[in-house]
Amino acid sequence: MSTSKHNPLRIVFMGTPDFAVGSLEQLIKADFNVVGVVTAPDRPAGRGRKVQESAVKQCATKHNLKVLQPTNLKDKAFLEELKSLDANLQVVVAFRMLPKAVWQMPEHGTFNLHASLLPQYRGAAPINWAIINGETETGVTTFFIDEKIDTGSIILQKTTSILPDDNVGTLHDRLMEVGSHLVVETCKQIEAGTVKRQKQDESAALKPAPKIHKETCRIDWEASMEDIYNHIRGLSPYPGAWTELVNGDKAEAMKIFTTEMEQADHNYEIGKLIAEKKSLKVAVQNGYISLLELQLPGKRRMQFNEVLNGLNLENKAHLR
């Protein structure tokens, strides 16, 4: 519970996706005064293009919090409405880049929760890239926002392991949980006036975490077995690693979500698809990648045996 009487916080929370919901829920649970929530405008989504509210808006509405949904963060009317909330701290989790007029508005500034151990993995997709790069450890960081992206003074950090079978989904959920408690602890320190700022140490080589594009998701079967395995789980369940299945004179894109590694000597060409009674695997350097969960165009995600039943794989079937 927040108990400081000399400087109670009035918080505006900014966020959009599921990842931000954990932090908003924990702030409410810790009895902080959230005076407003800023989130993305409602947008059409899915096949039916039904208008959907962001995960954060749904959470805010459930708790009867005031919601602002600006399309332009520099809009004068929005800035005036934000100012009228009289917040003395802004908390940002998975939102877009803020203009200076917004982040410098409150007395205590604006801090952000980032899903990496800054300064490593600055950018839009830190969870994906940590797994893709085969890291065994990552974490969360709270830092004060400044002019550049993810470069401000660090407040607190918390480390967590990346397990060998983690994918983006499992790590996302763990970091959301760890991060939500770090947000609460950061607010407590700011309210108590005990917060310490630490400049980001950029002496080591920095690994970036840029936005994921379609070509990023294409699997390179010539890569090492470990790199292929990490690449696939670093894009699962979203947006999904993909490859091209060449079967006879037909070629179609196929997404792969779950795999296993099998070390072995073989004489197959790289990318050769081997269908057996109880497995579907791809020949790679020093072994095979067993395909466990796949998705063909226009179909749902399926276990490999379901795919095998519907596919008439020719002898020369391969992935490229």
Side-chain angles (χ1 to χ4, degrees), residues 1-65:
M1 296 258 305
S2 58
T3 55
S4 173
K5 289 175 184 157
H6 69 279
N7 191 17
L9 291 180
R10 290 175 56 82
I11 296 170
V12 162
F13 184 87
M14 301 182 179
T16 295
D18 286 329
F19 188 78
V21 171
S23 294
L24 180 55
E25 289 279 12
Q26 284 299 326
L27 285 171
I28 294 163
K29 191 176 173 184
D31 207 25
F32 279 105
N33 183 15
V34 180
V35 296
V37 170
V38 183
T39 190
D42 301 347
R43 290 200 172 95
R47 285 186 181 175
R49 306 306 287 161
K50 270 180 71 177
V51 173
Q52 284 194 350
E53 299 176 338
S54 75
V56 163
K57 182 181 178 182
Q58 291 173 38
C59 176
T61 304
K62 182 179 80 175
H63 292 286
N64 299 312
L65 299 174

Side-chain angles (χ1 to χ4, degrees), residues 165-184:
D165 58 350
D166 264 330
N167 64 15
V168 171
T170 57
L171 187 57
H172 166 283
D173 291 352
R174 199 153 67 248
L175 290 175
M176 178 172 74
E177 176 72 15
V178 174
S180 66
H181 294 290
L182 202 70
V183 163
V184 169

